Amino acid sequence: MTALPREVFKWLQSLDLTFPIRNIRRDFSNGYIVAEIFSWYYPQDIQMHNYDNCNGLPGKVGNWSQLQTFFKRRNIEIPEELMEGTLHCKTDAAELLAQYLYTKLTNRKVKRLALDYDIDFTDHSYQLSLPKHARSTASTSVKNNLKITEFLTAPNIITCQQKAQEIIHKHIQHRQEERLEEPDHFDIKPSIGQRCVRRPPPANTYTGEGMGWKDQSQAASRIPNTSSRKPSPDKPSTVRSPVGNNVTFREIQVGQLDHTSQPAVRPVASLSSSPVLPPISGRS
């Protein structure tokens, strides 16, 4: 849980509020103390007899709706996520709202400490402090992070299903991150593809793989052009490759048959062919 900074806590005490703040998450949820804080800076716009210090959901929703109307009239920008999280007593929502009001109303900056987790109004930071066998499952995560007041304020079934699916998706994502960070604990063995050694392809080859078009053009310019000269059949020619090795080859000249000067060759009758027999007559 995000701790309330000391300067913010002293600022709240200096306002001489009607009710002392003991549990900021519970005390800020109905919006009565938030309205009393703004009444010190805007006494003509906020009158405290219009707000009710109650614990019921209808009274809380009524107080926050009046505050939203005041924020729009005065062009005070407060994130809606902070107000909804404070109304539903979400984790770290009331603390962040108090710091936001301190910076808005006093024009001062809060010295925030570096956190080891992202603030998403869930109990993920608390789950990390627990041992692995005591952490919540997917159904318990939905139960802890989705309040019953959210179903009452927004009774739309599709909206509630989307919120539950988002919580389950975050829970699965956190579990996958744990399996990647500690594979030995979950007895995860690497696959054959992960075990094999992958090496980069060799550069500066004749095929040009692993080289850019500039390197290929430079390598082609370093290869000597042997098409214009004819190497001697007795003396082998040597070509230096871009890699640096000497490649030796010898040209072999083979005489080909000239079909225009040679007579046509006709096939000879086979000796195994049977002779022609005389016609058979009726006389013996």
Side-chain angles (χ1 to χ4, degrees), residues 145-169:
N145 298 315
L146 193 60
K147 306 296 182 180
I148 189 62
T149 54
E150 298 185 51
F151 291 96
L152 298 177
T153 54
N156 190 0
I157 299 177
I158 298 177
T159 305
C160 297
Q161 288 179 352
Q162 291 177 353
K163 291 181 180 179
Q165 289 292 337
E166 184 179 359
I167 293 173
I168 294 174
H169 176 70

mmCIF file of all heavy atoms in Angstrom, residues 145-169:
data_model
loop_
_atom_site.group_PDB
_atom_site.id
_atom_site.type_symbol
_atom_site.label_atom_id
_atom_site.label_comp_id
_atom_site.label_asym_id
_atom_site.label_seq_id
_atom_site.Cartn_x
_atom_site.Cartn_y
_atom_site.Cartn_z
ATOM 1 N N ASN A 145 -10.591 -7.880 -5.885
ATOM 2 C CA ASN A 145 -10.382 -6.652 -6.651
ATOM 3 C C ASN A 145 -11.648 -6.101 -7.291
ATOM 4 O O ASN A 145 -11.618 -4.991 -7.836
ATOM 5 C CB ASN A 145 -9.343 -6.890 -7.751
ATOM 6 C CG ASN A 145 -7.992 -7.279 -7.180
ATOM 7 O OD1 ASN A 145 -7.520 -6.673 -6.232
ATOM 8 N ND2 ASN A 145 -7.368 -8.298 -7.752
ATOM 9 N N LEU A 146 -12.721 -6.839 -7.266
ATOM 10 C CA LEU A 146 -13.988 -6.361 -7.829
ATOM 11 C C LEU A 146 -14.989 -6.236 -6.686
ATOM 12 O O LEU A 146 -15.460 -7.235 -6.133
ATOM 13 C CB LEU A 146 -14.494 -7.341 -8.896
ATOM 14 C CG LEU A 146 -15.627 -6.844 -9.795
ATOM 15 C CD1 LEU A 146 -15.180 -5.601 -10.568
ATOM 16 C CD2 LEU A 146 -16.054 -7.932 -10.769
ATOM 17 N N LYS A 147 -15.295 -5.005 -6.299
ATOM 18 C CA LYS A 147 -16.149 -4.753 -5.155
ATOM 19 C C LYS A 147 -17.617 -4.919 -5.523
ATOM 20 O O LYS A 147 -18.014 -4.764 -6.689
ATOM 21 C CB LYS A 147 -15.904 -3.340 -4.604
ATOM 22 C CG LYS A 147 -14.449 -3.040 -4.284
ATOM 23 C CD LYS A 147 -13.916 -3.927 -3.184
ATOM 24 C CE LYS A 147 -12.474 -3.591 -2.844
ATOM 25 N NZ LYS A 147 -11.930 -4.457 -1.772
ATOM 26 N N ILE A 148 -18.425 -5.206 -4.492
ATOM 27 C CA ILE A 148 -19.859 -5.355 -4.717
ATOM 28 C C ILE A 148 -20.503 -4.024 -5.057
ATOM 29 O O ILE A 148 -21.534 -3.965 -5.759
ATOM 30 C CB ILE A 148 -20.518 -5.976 -3.462
ATOM 31 C CG1 ILE A 148 -21.975 -6.339 -3.739
ATOM 32 C CG2 ILE A 148 -20.387 -5.051 -2.274
ATOM 33 C CD1 ILE A 148 -22.177 -7.371 -4.811
ATOM 34 N N THR A 149 -19.898 -2.925 -4.604
ATOM 35 C CA THR A 149 -20.454 -1.608 -4.926
ATOM 36 C C THR A 149 -20.337 -1.281 -6.416
ATOM 37 O O THR A 149 -21.129 -0.491 -6.934
ATOM 38 C CB THR A 149 -19.729 -0.532 -4.113
ATOM 39 O OG1 THR A 149 -18.312 -0.634 -4.327
ATOM 40 C CG2 THR A 149 -20.009 -0.695 -2.628
ATOM 41 N N GLU A 150 -19.377 -1.892 -7.109
ATOM 42 C CA GLU A 150 -19.258 -1.675 -8.547
ATOM 43 C C GLU A 150 -20.425 -2.306 -9.291
ATOM 44 O O GLU A 150 -20.866 -1.783 -10.319
ATOM 45 C CB GLU A 150 -17.925 -2.232 -9.053
ATOM 46 C CG GLU A 150 -16.697 -1.561 -8.447
ATOM 47 C CD GLU A 150 -15.403 -2.061 -9.061
ATOM 48 O OE1 GLU A 150 -15.307 -2.070 -10.302
ATOM 49 O OE2 GLU A 150 -14.500 -2.455 -8.306
ATOM 50 N N PHE A 151 -20.923 -3.422 -8.805
ATOM 51 C CA PHE A 151 -22.087 -4.047 -9.430
ATOM 52 C C PHE A 151 -23.348 -3.224 -9.167
ATOM 53 O O PHE A 151 -24.261 -3.198 -9.996
ATOM 54 C CB PHE A 151 -22.279 -5.461 -8.893
ATOM 55 C CG PHE A 151 -21.210 -6.419 -9.336
ATOM 56 C CD1 PHE A 151 -20.115 -6.677 -8.526
ATOM 57 C CD2 PHE A 151 -21.287 -7.060 -10.561
ATOM 58 C CE1 PHE A 151 -19.134 -7.560 -8.923
ATOM 59 C CE2 PHE A 151 -20.310 -7.941 -10.964
ATOM 60 C CZ PHE A 151 -19.221 -8.194 -10.146
ATOM 61 N N LEU A 152 -23.406 -2.563 -8.004
ATOM 62 C CA LEU A 152 -24.596 -1.792 -7.659
ATOM 63 C C LEU A 152 -24.632 -0.452 -8.374
ATOM 64 O O LEU A 152 -25.687 0.010 -8.785
ATOM 65 C CB LEU A 152 -24.653 -1.581 -6.143
ATOM 66 C CG LEU A 152 -24.766 -2.855 -5.293
ATOM 67 C CD1 LEU A 152 -24.731 -2.507 -3.808
ATOM 68 C CD2 LEU A 152 -26.029 -3.639 -5.630
ATOM 69 N N THR A 153 -23.462 0.191 -8.542
ATOM 70 C CA THR A 153 -23.429 1.485 -9.228
ATOM 71 C C THR A 153 -23.542 1.332 -10.740
ATOM 72 O O THR A 153 -24.104 2.198 -11.417
ATOM 73 C CB THR A 153 -22.133 2.234 -8.898
ATOM 74 O OG1 THR A 153 -21.004 1.386 -9.193
ATOM 75 C CG2 THR A 153 -22.101 2.611 -7.420
ATOM 76 N N ALA A 154 -23.001 0.250 -11.284
ATOM 77 C CA ALA A 154 -23.087 -0.013 -12.730
ATOM 78 C C ALA A 154 -23.643 -1.416 -12.921
ATOM 79 O O ALA A 154 -22.888 -2.382 -13.064
ATOM 80 C CB ALA A 154 -21.718 0.128 -13.383
ATOM 81 N N PRO A 155 -24.971 -1.573 -12.898
ATOM 82 C CA PRO A 155 -25.554 -2.925 -12.981
ATOM 83 C C PRO A 155 -25.533 -3.537 -14.369
ATOM 84 O O PRO A 155 -26.212 -4.545 -14.595
ATOM 85 C CB PRO A 155 -26.994 -2.685 -12.501
ATOM 86 C CG PRO A 155 -27.280 -1.269 -12.848
ATOM 87 C CD PRO A 155 -25.983 -0.531 -12.723
ATOM 88 N N ASN A 156 -24.795 -2.974 -15.280
ATOM 89 C CA ASN A 156 -24.712 -3.539 -16.621
ATOM 90 C C ASN A 156 -23.893 -4.826 -16.575
ATOM 91 O O ASN A 156 -22.755 -4.852 -16.083
ATOM 92 C CB ASN A 156 -24.061 -2.528 -17.579
ATOM 93 C CG ASN A 156 -24.166 -2.979 -19.028
ATOM 94 O OD1 ASN A 156 -24.716 -4.031 -19.335
ATOM 95 N ND2 ASN A 156 -23.629 -2.165 -19.925
ATOM 96 N N ILE A 157 -24.451 -5.901 -17.096
ATOM 97 C CA ILE A 157 -23.781 -7.204 -17.022
ATOM 98 C C ILE A 157 -22.529 -7.215 -17.888
ATOM 99 O O ILE A 157 -21.489 -7.770 -17.508
ATOM 100 C CB ILE A 157 -24.752 -8.320 -17.449
ATOM 101 C CG1 ILE A 157 -25.958 -8.361 -16.508
ATOM 102 C CG2 ILE A 157 -24.047 -9.675 -17.464
ATOM 103 C CD1 ILE A 157 -26.998 -9.389 -16.895
ATOM 104 N N ILE A 158 -22.583 -6.589 -19.054
ATOM 105 C CA ILE A 158 -21.428 -6.600 -19.967
ATOM 106 C C ILE A 158 -20.259 -5.840 -19.348
ATOM 107 O O ILE A 158 -19.098 -6.274 -19.432
ATOM 108 C CB ILE A 158 -21.829 -5.997 -21.322
ATOM 109 C CG1 ILE A 158 -22.933 -6.844 -21.968
ATOM 110 C CG2 ILE A 158 -20.622 -5.891 -22.245
ATOM 111 C CD1 ILE A 158 -23.438 -6.292 -23.277
ATOM 112 N N THR A 159 -20.539 -4.714 -18.706
ATOM 113 C CA THR A 159 -19.465 -3.938 -18.071
ATOM 114 C C THR A 159 -18.815 -4.712 -16.939
ATOM 115 O O THR A 159 -17.577 -4.728 -16.801
ATOM 116 C CB THR A 159 -20.030 -2.609 -17.540
ATOM 117 O OG1 THR A 159 -20.670 -1.907 -18.600
ATOM 118 C CG2 THR A 159 -18.926 -1.745 -16.966
ATOM 119 N N CYS A 160 -19.610 -5.386 -16.134
ATOM 120 C CA CYS A 160 -19.058 -6.179 -15.036
ATOM 121 C C CYS A 160 -18.250 -7.368 -15.561
ATOM 122 O O CYS A 160 -17.209 -7.715 -14.988
ATOM 123 C CB CYS A 160 -20.191 -6.659 -14.132
ATOM 124 S SG CYS A 160 -21.106 -5.331 -13.319
ATOM 125 N N GLN A 161 -18.708 -7.976 -16.641
ATOM 126 C CA GLN A 161 -17.945 -9.075 -17.227
ATOM 127 C C GLN A 161 -16.605 -8.592 -17.781
ATOM 128 O O GLN A 161 -15.584 -9.284 -17.661
ATOM 129 C CB GLN A 161 -18.763 -9.739 -18.336
ATOM 130 C CG GLN A 161 -19.938 -10.576 -17.840
ATOM 131 C CD GLN A 161 -20.724 -11.202 -18.971
ATOM 132 O OE1 GLN A 161 -20.486 -10.894 -20.147
ATOM 133 N NE2 GLN A 161 -21.667 -12.067 -18.636
ATOM 134 N N GLN A 162 -16.590 -7.424 -18.380
ATOM 135 C CA GLN A 162 -15.329 -6.879 -18.890
ATOM 136 C C GLN A 162 -14.348 -6.595 -17.758
ATOM 137 O O GLN A 162 -13.145 -6.853 -17.891
ATOM 138 C CB GLN A 162 -15.597 -5.613 -19.696
ATOM 139 C CG GLN A 162 -16.320 -5.850 -21.020
ATOM 140 C CD GLN A 162 -16.634 -4.567 -21.747
ATOM 141 O OE1 GLN A 162 -16.427 -3.471 -21.212
ATOM 142 N NE2 GLN A 162 -17.155 -4.673 -22.957
ATOM 143 N N LYS A 163 -14.837 -6.074 -16.636
ATOM 144 C CA LYS A 163 -13.958 -5.836 -15.492
ATOM 145 C C LYS A 163 -13.402 -7.145 -14.940
ATOM 146 O O LYS A 163 -12.215 -7.236 -14.601
ATOM 147 C CB LYS A 163 -14.720 -5.085 -14.401
ATOM 148 C CG LYS A 163 -15.074 -3.651 -14.763
ATOM 149 C CD LYS A 163 -15.805 -2.964 -13.616
ATOM 150 C CE LYS A 163 -16.160 -1.521 -13.964
ATOM 151 N NZ LYS A 163 -16.892 -0.864 -12.855
ATOM 152 N N ALA A 164 -14.250 -8.171 -14.849
ATOM 153 C CA ALA A 164 -13.777 -9.469 -14.355
ATOM 154 C C ALA A 164 -12.765 -10.092 -15.308
ATOM 155 O O ALA A 164 -11.748 -10.651 -14.873
ATOM 156 C CB ALA A 164 -14.969 -10.408 -14.150
ATOM 157 N N GLN A 165 -13.005 -9.983 -16.622
ATOM 158 C CA GLN A 165 -12.058 -10.522 -17.595
ATOM 159 C C GLN A 165 -10.723 -9.795 -17.538
ATOM 160 O O GLN A 165 -9.653 -10.399 -17.696
ATOM 161 C CB GLN A 165 -12.650 -10.425 -19.008
ATOM 162 C CG GLN A 165 -13.789 -11.386 -19.281
ATOM 163 C CD GLN A 165 -13.331 -12.828 -19.305
ATOM 164 O OE1 GLN A 165 -12.150 -13.119 -19.535
ATOM 165 N NE2 GLN A 165 -14.255 -13.750 -19.068
ATOM 166 N N GLU A 166 -10.743 -8.500 -17.292
ATOM 167 C CA GLU A 166 -9.492 -7.740 -17.179
ATOM 168 C C GLU A 166 -8.690 -8.175 -15.951
ATOM 169 O O GLU A 166 -7.467 -8.301 -16.012
ATOM 170 C CB GLU A 166 -9.802 -6.253 -17.109
ATOM 171 C CG GLU A 166 -8.576 -5.359 -17.097
ATOM 172 C CD GLU A 166 -8.931 -3.888 -17.053
ATOM 173 O OE1 GLU A 166 -10.141 -3.570 -17.060
ATOM 174 O OE2 GLU A 166 -7.999 -3.060 -17.008
ATOM 175 N N ILE A 167 -9.371 -8.429 -14.842
ATOM 176 C CA ILE A 167 -8.683 -8.888 -13.630
ATOM 177 C C ILE A 167 -8.088 -10.279 -13.850
ATOM 178 O O ILE A 167 -6.945 -10.556 -13.453
ATOM 179 C CB ILE A 167 -9.657 -8.886 -12.444
ATOM 180 C CG1 ILE A 167 -10.062 -7.448 -12.106
ATOM 181 C CG2 ILE A 167 -9.023 -9.544 -11.219
ATOM 182 C CD1 ILE A 167 -11.146 -7.350 -11.060
ATOM 183 N N ILE A 168 -8.836 -11.161 -14.513
ATOM 184 C CA ILE A 168 -8.323 -12.507 -14.786
ATOM 185 C C ILE A 168 -7.134 -12.447 -15.741
ATOM 186 O O ILE A 168 -6.145 -13.182 -15.579
ATOM 187 C CB ILE A 168 -9.448 -13.387 -15.350
ATOM 188 C CG1 ILE A 168 -10.531 -13.619 -14.290
ATOM 189 C CG2 ILE A 168 -8.907 -14.729 -15.836
ATOM 190 C CD1 ILE A 168 -11.745 -14.355 -14.801
ATOM 191 N N HIS A 169 -7.197 -11.565 -16.742
ATOM 192 C CA HIS A 169 -6.084 -11.426 -17.687
ATOM 193 C C HIS A 169 -4.826 -10.941 -16.975
ATOM 194 O O HIS A 169 -3.718 -11.446 -17.234
ATOM 195 C CB HIS A 169 -6.484 -10.456 -18.799
ATOM 196 C CG HIS A 169 -5.381 -10.180 -19.776
ATOM 197 N ND1 HIS A 169 -4.920 -11.126 -20.680
ATOM 198 C CD2 HIS A 169 -4.625 -9.059 -19.980
ATOM 199 C CE1 HIS A 169 -3.946 -10.606 -21.398
ATOM 200 N NE2 HIS A 169 -3.739 -9.359 -20.997
#
